[in-house]
Amino acid sequence: LEADEAWKVAPDTMETCEKLRKCGVLLLAGGQPGKALSYLERALALHEQLKGTQDPALSAALGNLAMAHGDLGDAQKEMELLE
């Protein structure tokens, strides 16, 4: 199992969500927004599944995902996520 694929079989917990988020943020900081996107999308989906869409901490996940889209040159998607 490749490291990039391991998260697909990880348990659906907030611990997994946080690890996915951290990996995504590290990839963003390392100049790899394309790779970061899949981690951040999965972290967001898992966060919504476990805590609901009204959880205040969700805004950080949306911000990280917006940043990845911005780094990829998709300003429209970046702005949609920040609204």
Side-chain angles (χ1 to χ4, degrees):
L1 190 63
E2 295 292 323
D4 286 349
E5 301 295 313
W7 61 268
K8 292 181 180 177
V9 295
D12 289 348
T13 64
M14 283 307 293
E15 181 180 0
T16 298
C17 179
E18 185 61 17
K19 288 179 181 181
L20 288 166
R21 186 195 63 77
K22 286 180 181 179
C23 286
V25 169
L26 287 172
L27 287 165
L28 271 178
Q32 298 183 58
K35 272 190 163 184
L37 197 60
S38 64
Y39 285 88
L40 296 171
E41 287 174 339
R42 175 69 176 121
L44 177 64
L46 189 54
H47 192 128
E48 288 177 336
Q49 173 190 332
L50 296 171
K51 296 283 189 169
T53 59
Q54 301 302 314
D55 184 39
L58 199 60
S59 62
L62 288 166
N64 291 331
L65 190 56
M67 189 181 310
H69 281 286
D71 287 356
L72 289 169
D74 190 348
Q76 181 177 349
K77 184 67 174 178
E78 179 182 23
M79 293 307 295
E80 287 174 11
L81 289 166
L82 293 174
E83 291 179 347

